[in-house]
Structures are given as structure tokens and as C-alpha cells.
Amino acid sequence: MGTIKCIGILTSGGDAPGMNAAIRAVTRSAIYNGLQVKGIYRGYKGLLTGEIKEFKSQNVSNIIQLGGTILKTARCKEFTTPEGRQIAYDNMKKEGIDALVIIGGDGSLTGARIFAQEFDVPCIGLPGTIDNDLFGTDTTIGYDTALNTILDAVDKIRDTATSHERLFFVEVMGRDAGFLALNGAIAAGAEAAIIPEISTEVDQLEELIKNGFRKSKNSSIVLVAESPITGGAMHYAERVKNEYPGYDVRVTILGHLQRGGSPTAHDRILASRLGAAAIDAIMEGQRNVMIGIDHDEIVYVPFTKAIKNDKPIKKELINVLRELSI
Ligand code: ADP
């Protein structure tokens, strides 16, 4: 491997608040260490179309507080084919880019792993997803902000739920992971969370009814992870209407508002630390790892581990929610 003089940076897949803070950190840290930086637009798509621009320190001024990503993000089907990746590699070489920093989720890091293997290109991943579903890092960039957005929304729903004495199913994101639903429920003081991790083991609605949910309360809020495994909030509302017609049921789907907003202090600090560590990793000759934070220490997690392992939900959290919702 030759010396690395120029790095390319891109954001890919689902956007997450804090991606801009990560772009800023990677860019500034690279320049600080004498590297040239090129911003690649619209994820892997930009590598294929050549939508690439040199980034100086001022290109990332005033973005730490912004949600979304100034580099834009996209999903790129061609990059999943060997022909597409060959074009990406050729463009990368044409631009003089020696290594890539990829900010994204599970899919984006899978693409990075394949690309790195095929072309012997150093790739460093940063966990950028609101779902918090990457193994090897305590949290992912965007997760804390999304959690706080959910909290704000559920606090408001509670006002109307209490006034009308209703049962609300609030659907939150998390296709394969219940972190947002479970921790959102704990933080909002909701009655329960329906999450994919335990959906196949137990009928969570049966459990709720059996445990006498609502008890003496005049309203109830249940957070449901939007997932084909849970079936989503509508599914549970329909079931309650059919099986327990005594309840006055409503559904709120929070949807894309969970992806937006100014990143929290936690996400800005996380993104800044991970971004700076990505450049340290490149300078140390690391390659094909995701940068994570584990017990407040920077860690390098091989792509295969970060992507493949299911990040477990702590049983303790499930118990806390159950105990505190009596
Ligand atoms: P996320 O990174 O948020 O999980 P996606 O799953 O949509 O988002 O992946 C983002 C992009 O990563 C895809 O559009 C594609 O370009 C690339 N990608 C995903 N999976 C693969 C794969 N198996 N091989 C190559 N590229 C992939």
C-alpha cells in the first residue's frame, strides 16, 4: 500500500442527524494531518458519476449544528454490481483518492467491505444511522437525536391521550432493531414497547393485556418499532379493535420527522470523536474497519463484525420498562 495523500468522504443510505458533524470532523482532522480531502456527493452514486469536489476547511464551516448531510445521500443500485464498483474505482483513481471514509448504516458498510476487498482500497466506516443497529459501538451517530425527537413527540401525544382516555400506538423507526422503541418508551414513561427482537418469542399484545395494562390508568402509550417482524402500529391497533373492542385506540406514525433536526450534544461529540479517530486510523495504516466507541474508548471494529452481529438488546431495559409501567 502506498502512502495516503488524499481521502474521499461520502454519506450513504439513510440520513441521520450528526452526519454533518462527522463530515466536518473528518475533513478538519484530515487537513490538520496534512491530507487532501475530496467530498463525494450522493453516496456511492457520486463515485460512479464523478460528482466529487475538493473540500477545504471552510467547506465544512457552520454545519456542525445542521441535520441531514451537506454531501447528500442516496441509494445506489449500480454499486451492488461488480461493473458499477469498477467504474467507482476508476473514478476514485482518476481523482487521486487513496482511501475512503464512509458514513452510513449497515448497507453502506456492507458495500464498503465488498469494495475494499475487491480493489484493495483502504475504507474506514463511521456508524451513521438513527437505528443504533451496528455492533461494536455503544451508540451510532443520529440515534440520540432521534430518541429525543421521539421523546418530544410522545410527551405531546400523552397530553391528548390522557385527556381522551385513549390507548395510543406510536410507531417509531427501527426495522430490525428495537433500540428507539424500547429506550424511547423508557424515557417517555410509556406503558410498553413492541420490538422485533422479542416478537417471535412472545405475543407482546397478549402479554400487555395479561399483565393488566392500563390498570388504574386513564390512558396508555405503546411504542411500536416499524418492522415487518412486529407488523407495525396499525397491525396492533387493528388487533385491539378486533380482540378487545373496549379500548379507544389511536395510531400515530412518527415517520421521517425522526430523521431530521439539529443533532444533540451527544451526537455532535460522538461524530466529532469518530471523525477524528477515522483519520487517526488511516494514519496508523488501519483499513476496512468501522470506528466505534465502546465504554467511552475509541475502538476499531472489523466490517464483518459490525455488520453481521446482531447487537443485543439488554434484558435489563425490558425489565425496567415492565417494572416502571405498573
Ligand atoms: P444504510 O447504509 O442506511 O443501511 P442501504 O442499506 O440502503 O442504507 O445501503 C446504502 C447503499 O450501500 C446502497 O444503496 C448500495 O449502494 C450500498 N450497498 C448496500 N448493500 C450492498 C452490497 N451488498 N454490495 C454493494 N453495495 C451495497
Side-chain angles (χ1 to χ4, degrees), residues 24-207:
R24 171 181 179 270
V26 171
T27 303
R28 294 250 165 109
S29 180
I31 293 169
Y32 180 85
N33 284 285
L35 299 174
Q36 191 188 10
V37 181
K38 295 209 171 167
I40 300 157
Y41 285 81
R42 299 184 171 78
Y44 294 119
K45 201 175 254 182
L47 268 183
L48 272 96
T49 58
E51 222 183 325
I52 299 167
K53 166 178 145 180
E54 178 158 9
F55 265 29
K56 300 286 187 197
S57 186
Q58 58 271 26
N59 289 101
V60 294
S61 294
N62 268 319
I63 65 166
I64 194 168
Q65 77 282 16
L66 301 179
T69 157
I70 59 159
L71 282 174
K72 314 287 181 198
T73 184
R75 297 197 155 94
C76 176
K77 220 162 176 201
E78 288 129 293
F79 194 76
T80 61
T81 67
E83 298 77 27
R85 290 191 295 272
Q86 181 66 54
I87 298 169
Y89 179 74
D90 293 343
N91 277 335
M92 195 180 142
K93 287 290 115 185
K94 204 163 76 192
E95 287 282 343
I97 298 171
D98 307 307
L100 287 179
V101 177
I102 298 103
I103 307 166
D106 194 54
S108 304
L109 300 194
T110 303
R113 182 187 62 76
I114 295 168
F115 189 61
Q117 208 170 24
E118 241 168 24
F119 295 100
D120 197 23
V121 168
C123 289
I124 301 291
L126 295 188
T129 163
I130 63 166
D131 291 344
N132 197 30
D133 60 349
L134 287 162
F135 185 85
T137 187
D138 291 339
T139 58
T140 54
I141 298 165
Y143 169 65
D144 185 66
T145 307
L147 200 52
N148 278 286
T149 302
I150 289 168
L151 190 55
D152 183 50
V154 176
D155 283 349
K156 286 175 177 143
I157 289 167
R158 181 188 292 282
D159 292 342
T160 174
T162 314
S163 303
H164 284 278
E165 308 193 36
R166 280 176 175 151
L167 161 58
F168 266 85
F169 286 101
V170 181
E171 186 171 291
V172 302
M173 286 187 170
R175 209 172 16 168
D176 308 303
F179 294 100
L180 285 173
L182 182 58
N183 283 316
I186 292 173
E191 273 55 52
I194 293 177
I195 57 174
E197 286 85 344
I198 54 171
S199 287
T200 50
E201 290 164 31
V202 286
D203 184 337
Q204 294 173 84
L205 183 62
E206 285 294 331
E207 280 230 316

Side-chain angles (χ1 to χ4, degrees), residues 12 69 77 113 125 131-132 139 145 153 211 239 252 259 267 296-297 312 315:
S12 163
T69 157
K77 220 162 176 201
R113 182 187 62 76
D131 291 344
N132 197 30
T139 58
T145 307
N211 294 339
R239 276 195 61 190
T252 301
R259 289 194 181 281
D267 276 334
D296 205 37
E297 297 292 338
K315 194 102 185 89

